[in-house]
Each structure stands twice: as structure tokens, then as C-alpha cells.
Amino acid sequence: MTDKLDIIWKESTDSTNEDVKRHIHDIDNLSVLAAEIQNAGRGQRGNVWFSGEGANLTFSIFLKPELKAAKQFRISQITALSIVKFLEKHDIKASVKWPNDIYVQNRKICGILIENTLRGDSIIHSIIGIGLNVNQESFPQEIPNPTSMLMETGKTFDLKMLLEDYIRSFRQMITERLSEDTKDTDLEYQEYLWRKDEEYSYRDMRTGNIFIGRITGISETGCLSVQKKEGEPEEFAFKEISYIL
Ligand code: BTN
């Protein structure tokens, strides 16, 4: 790994994930594309990602991971951990709302959209899109429960320096941890898991039923393990469970 950081800054684009997709044949592993403005920022589940112009970090990292498709949750785990640890460095205590939203108590500070391209049973490349709320102080009302680094610390940040610093730590973490076979990443991810070991209400999206349960951890395949207050332990895949805030 070289020390040189390939970060391309654009004044505006539709979505940094889409922009990276258009360049996958001419960009190197671990290149980063950041935009001051996204005109069509994308969130999970087809949602729009809103970010005030020039206020926050919106960027995508291009990764050629050499990883089996069955292990793709690893990329989510490492990315989420890299963000919580980075926020910790800035005195913000954040958690991972499974699978990869980053929360400060009940407020979302960062969203992650990972798009993997598979060939056979391998991942050939991965686009990791990150929207980190940094200097924004107020958000439109329709955004449910946002926060930002400024709102949490009272400080404003230089976006370019902040991104460089983050990318350095991300590169180190992904390089060290993607190939590892130890349980450290799983354990650490679970340590930062939002709402772990406490009772809350959830909706089972397969049946529509609301139930009370306790998150107990993450399964080997990246499903959320929940002990229902009344009933058996269950595992939920992405989109099969929704948190009631
Ligand atoms: C979510 O929480 O719904 C995921 C949000 C991901 C937003 C980032 S911003 C940079 C990258 N480009 C996009 O269009 N989306 C991701």
C-alpha cells in the first residue's frame, strides 16, 4: 500500500456511486471520488440521500476486494467500524445500526450504500458510498432524525482534510482486516451494535407483526440475531426486520 491517496474531488455529480460505476475500467483499487454536491444522491432501499451543498462528505471508494461473495458482509462490517472509530477520534460516540447505518444515540450521522458486483462466487468489485454529515446544522423536516459532527461537537471541519484522514484509516483497516480469519472484526462490530442486549420493539417485515425483542448479535452470514421476548431466537436478513424508533 502506498501513501499516496487518490482522491478526486468534483464540484458536482449525480451520485458518486454512479460516477464511479461509469469509470470502473479506468480507476485503481482504493480510489476515491468525492463531490461537493450530489444532484441525485442515492440511499438504501431506493431512497434519496439528502446532503446540504458543500456541508458534508459524500464520496465513494472503489474496491477490488478478492473476497468470496459469501463473505460480502465483511465489507459492511469493516466500513461501519472504520466510521465509528473515526468518529470516536473526534469525540463522538457512535454505534452501528445493523447493517451499516451509523447512529449517535437515536440520530443518524452517516449512511453507507455498498454495491457489490459478483462474478460466480466472487466479488469482482465493490463501490462503497458514504454520506457523512459533517458541517450541517439544520436539515429539512422530512429527514427523520439527522445529526452531524458539528451538531455533536460544536466544531466545524475542513472537509478535504477530514476525508484524507478518514481514507488513510479506512485503507489501513480494509487492508489489514479483509484478509484476516480471526473473529476480531465480528466481536468489535458487535461491541458497537446499536440497541444490543436491550429490549425494543421491532416489526417483522415478512408478516407485518410488531414484537418486542433483544438483539443478541450477528450470525455468520451477517443476519441480525434477535431473541424475542415471547418466542424463539430468530435471524433476520436485511429488509426482513425494521426498527421501531
Ligand atoms: C443510506 O443510509 O440510505 C445510504 C446513504 C448513502 C449515501 C452516499 S453519499 C455518497 C454515495 N453516493 C450516493 O449516491 N450514495 C452514497
Side-chain angles (χ1 to χ4, degrees), residues 75-83 112 114 128 130 166 170:
I75 302 174
S76 286
Q77 277 182 313
I78 297 170
T79 306
L81 273 177
S82 71
I83 296 280
I112 300 170
I114 300 179
I128 302 171
I130 299 179
Y166 168 72
F170 173 84

Side-chain angles (χ1 to χ4, degrees), residues 195-207:
R195 287 189 171 180
K196 185 166 178 280
D197 294 328
E198 285 172 38
E199 279 188 350
Y200 285 97
S201 296
Y202 298 93
R203 185 186 297 276
D204 183 333
M205 298 304 280
R206 299 163 301 189
T207 59

